[in-house]
Amino acid sequence: NFEFEVSYWFDVFGLARVTMSQHDDAKCSELQRDLTAKYGKPVEYEGGSVERRMWADRPIGNRIILISTEAFCELQYAPLLSRAGAGL
């Protein structure tokens, strides 16, 4: 089980993004494994001191982004398409 601090971001059209911060660094690797098991290999990856992985949940219309460092782990859900399309 994961425990998150959740933030909801709105724009003029409504809910634009959900961010979920994980405060247990050991769980971040577990979260990454779970996301990879569910969605497959990330469609985007940026390495370095800040790692960023993105998966596309096309059936629902969302992108799932995991941003992590040694001291930070955040999961983001946002629409794949513009507001005129779909997502969230």
Side-chain angles (χ1 to χ4, degrees), residues 8 10 15 25 28 30 32 39 50 60-61 71 78-79 82 87:
Y8 299 92
F10 294 86
L15 183 61
D25 295 339
C28 195
E30 186 178 336
Q32 177 187 328
Y39 299 107
V50 177
I60 294 177
S82 68

Side-chain angles (χ1 to χ4, degrees), residues 18 20 25 27-37 39-57 62-70 72-78 80:
V18 177
M20 306 165 65
D25 295 339
K27 292 280 190 176
C28 195
S29 294
E30 186 178 336
L31 179 59
Q32 177 187 328
R33 282 191 302 271
D34 287 355
L35 289 166
T36 301
Y39 299 107
K41 183 179 175 183
V43 295
E44 290 182 14
Y45 172 76
E46 294 175 20
S49 60
V50 177
E51 293 186 350
R52 181 184 176 279
R53 292 169 174 81
M54 189 193 83
W55 293 267
D57 186 350
N62 287 331
R63 59 190 158 121
I64 298 116
I65 300 168
L66 181 65
I67 300 169
S68 60
T69 68
E70 289 183 16
F72 177 80
C73 184
E74 182 177 88
L75 185 60
Q76 299 180 355
Y77 286 85
L80 270 172

